[in-house]
Amino acid sequence: GLQRCGRAPVAAPAGAIEAYDLCLRGRHFCHQVTEDGLKTARRMFVEAVAIDPDFPVAHLGLAETDNLIAQWIDRSPGQLEAADRASRQALKMAPGLPEAHSSRGFALSLKGDFGSASREFDHALELDPQSYDAYYLYGRSRFTEGRLSEAAALWAELGGEAFRAML
């Protein structure tokens, strides 16, 4: 289970149905978790942001896609910075969404800033104690840190309420 792109609820933005459509299509391509799929998704989220810069879900989709590209395809400083920048903007646009905090935590973890990442994951779990993404990504972060028992405990939650909430 990889983080799913753009899991935040999507409501069509006022006056920009094209941005909404691009976000839905971006999700489709992001879920493929292939290099071509992620790059296509990224282009769609960038276009959605250009059409409606005030649509938070477009920013969140871009952040999550940039994080996945940095995780699986391109760990270059430029891609890590793109993920960092996109996740900061998504959080600024949607501070009340647990997905925005999870995405920010993911970006910080990719940069090795585990303390700040933990704070974001904790905040995501305060907002939604059943957030699948927060538990999954927090576990990945702890695993990368070498904190295996903490990672296992977080992932154990995926078999409980967090997993059932995802269904």
Side-chain angles (χ1 to χ4, degrees), residues 61-160:
L62 178 59
E64 292 176 345
T65 303
D66 274 343
N67 283 335
L68 288 170
I69 290 170
Q71 174 73 40
W72 300 111
I73 298 166
D74 177 6
R75 210 39 105 94
S76 70
Q79 182 58 42
L80 290 170
E81 176 53 35
D84 184 64
R85 184 176 49 253
S87 70
R88 275 187 277 115
Q89 184 62 27
L91 187 57
K92 178 181 173 188
M93 297 291 298
L97 285 178
E99 295 86 356
H101 291 277
S102 292
S103 187
R104 182 69 186 137
F106 189 13
L108 291 163
S109 178
L110 290 168
K111 291 176 55 175
D113 185 352
F114 299 112
S116 296
S118 293
R119 285 188 289 282
E120 292 299 338
F121 293 130
D122 286 339
H123 195 153
L125 290 169
E126 287 171 15
L127 292 169
D128 179 3
Q130 298 177 9
S131 172
Y132 181 92
D133 287 342
Y135 281 112
Y136 175 75
L137 294 169
Y138 202 172
R140 284 191 63 87
S141 179
R142 290 298 196 209
F143 184 85
T144 302
E145 277 184 276
R147 297 168 75 166
L148 305 184
S149 62
E150 290 176 48
L154 288 160
W155 287 334
E157 290 294 325
L158 297 178

